[in-house]
Amino acid sequence: MNEYFSNEKDFLPNPNYMTTIQKDISNHMRAILNDWLLEVHLKYKFQHETIFLAVNLLDRYLSKVNIHRNILQLIGVSALMIAAKYEEIYPPDLKVYSYITDDAYNKDQVKFMETQILKVLNFDTTITSPMKFFYVLHKLMEFGQTASFFAEYLMDISILDVKMLKYLPSEIAATAVWMGIKVCENKDLLKEIATNARCKEETIKSCSEEFLHLIKKFEKEANRADHGTKSRDFIRYVNRFAFGYLF
């Protein structure tokens, strides 16, 4: 566990890259891309670590290279391919990644972008994701399945807003676990979680407010036809109980 804490800051993106580096893309475009990547991730039943690594690679690349919006999906799908090769026992073939973009990009383009990403990031693909800290907290605190599901859902939606990049992976995990236990088991274990995750209670509370803004945002969008991955009923459930139990 000590290794997780000592390494978590090593390969993080610039949390301000959307305003300091990028000129042609926005947080909204990133959110749409990451929601689509999450759908693909679920469709192919990838490991949970795969989506976090893919988004990390995407954000780190975008922290270094100013791009045009017409290749954003190409970068995303190439990052997912790299992550799947790293995390999955049987990753999909190259042709799959072209297919899932409706052939917007061919195999050569995906392969070329994979190489570009790896070169820019110096082939550093080992990260400490929120899931690693989640597993540690779950082992230490042994909370229930519903709280676990709630926390995993929150960690998933954390990839949809660039504002969440200002928090460390351990802080994302700690906040998700705190919210999950408080909402689903009606227990306030803030101090214990903060101690185990080695972060400040104030940071967890601040991060939880960001999560609540995300939940509210998703509820407003729940009736849209293109909403995508997030279940409408579950979003309403989360919103109804999270606000009632947390604050």
Side-chain angles (χ1 to χ4, degrees):
M1 186 172 74
N2 288 331
E3 183 180 356
Y4 290 166
F5 288 104
S6 62
N7 294 340
E8 72 169 325
K9 296 180 181 179
D10 289 347
F11 301 111
L12 295 178
N14 172 4
N16 302 310
Y17 78 77
M18 197 62 76
T19 55
T20 60
I21 304 295
Q22 298 304 323
K23 308 298 180 185
D24 195 49
I25 62 173
S26 65
N27 184 26
H28 181 64
M29 294 177 190
R30 175 186 178 273
I32 293 173
L33 172 64
N34 285 351
D35 191 49
W36 175 76
L37 289 175
L38 187 56
E39 288 189 53
V40 174
H41 168 268
L42 295 172
K43 177 180 179 180
Y44 287 93
K45 298 179 180 179
F46 287 158
Q47 298 294 320
H48 221 136
E49 290 283 2
T50 302
I51 187 64
F52 288 107
L53 176 56
V55 174
N56 174 274
L57 296 172
L58 168 71
D59 286 328
R60 284 164 57 203
Y61 183 82
L62 295 178
S63 295
K64 296 176 180 292
V65 181
N66 181 27
I67 67 155
H68 191 277
R69 66 182 66 184
N70 65 358
I71 64 168
L72 181 60
Q73 187 183 26
L74 174 61
I75 298 169
V77 77
S78 301
L80 183 63
M81 182 171 73
I82 296 169
K85 286 182 178 180
Y86 189 84
E87 296 288 352
E88 304 297 326
I89 298 176
Y90 301 109
D93 294 333
L94 173 61
K95 63 183 179 182
V96 170
Y97 298 96
S98 176
Y99 168 76
I100 60 178
T101 66
D102 291 328
D103 295 316
Y105 310 101
N106 60 42
K107 293 187 293 184
D108 290 338
Q109 289 174 303
V110 176
K111 189 67 178 176
F112 175 78
M113 184 54 66
E114 175 193 32
T115 303
Q116 292 300 109
I117 293 172
L118 289 171
K119 284 182 178 178
V120 168
L121 302 184
N122 296 316
F123 293 83
D124 291 320
T125 57
T126 301
I127 68 166
T128 305
S129 75
M131 283 306 301
K132 287 187 169 65
F133 293 103
F134 170 79
Y135 294 140
V136 170
L137 291 172
H138 193 278
K139 186 175 181 179
L140 290 173
M141 307 186 71
E142 298 182 345
F143 43 88
Q145 185 176 10
T146 304
S148 176
F149 178 70
F150 196 114
E152 289 183 46
Y153 170 81
L154 292 175
M155 287 188 291
D156 283 346
I157 68 171
S158 73
I159 69 173
L160 301 182
D161 194 329
V162 74
K163 293 178 182 178
M164 301 303 287
L165 293 179
K166 64 187 175 185
Y167 297 104
L168 295 172
S170 57
E171 295 168 347
I172 295 286
T175 304
V177 168
W178 175 59
M179 293 176 72
I181 293 175
K182 199 167 194 312
V183 169
C184 301
E185 300 180 3
N186 199 20
K187 300 176 184 176
D188 191 347
L189 303 180
L190 178 59
K191 184 170 292 187
E192 183 179 351
I193 292 170
T195 299
N196 288 331
R198 304 182 189 180
C199 56
K200 297 179 180 179
E201 294 179 26
E202 294 77 12
T203 302
I204 293 177
K205 289 181 178 180
S206 172
C207 187
S208 72
E209 291 174 1
E210 296 286 0
F211 271 124
L212 291 173
H213 287 310
L214 275 173
I215 294 167
K216 288 290 287 184
K217 178 182 177 182
F218 290 142
E219 186 186 30
K220 290 179 182 178
E221 297 176 353
N223 291 320
R224 289 174 50 183
D226 63 344
H227 187 68
T229 303
K230 307 301 167 294
S231 161
R232 295 172 185 173
D233 290 341
F234 184 66
I235 292 168
R236 294 190 181 109
Y237 170 88
V238 169
N239 182 50
R240 176 185 173 189
F241 286 95
F243 278 91
Y245 278 96
L246 288 169
F247 296 102

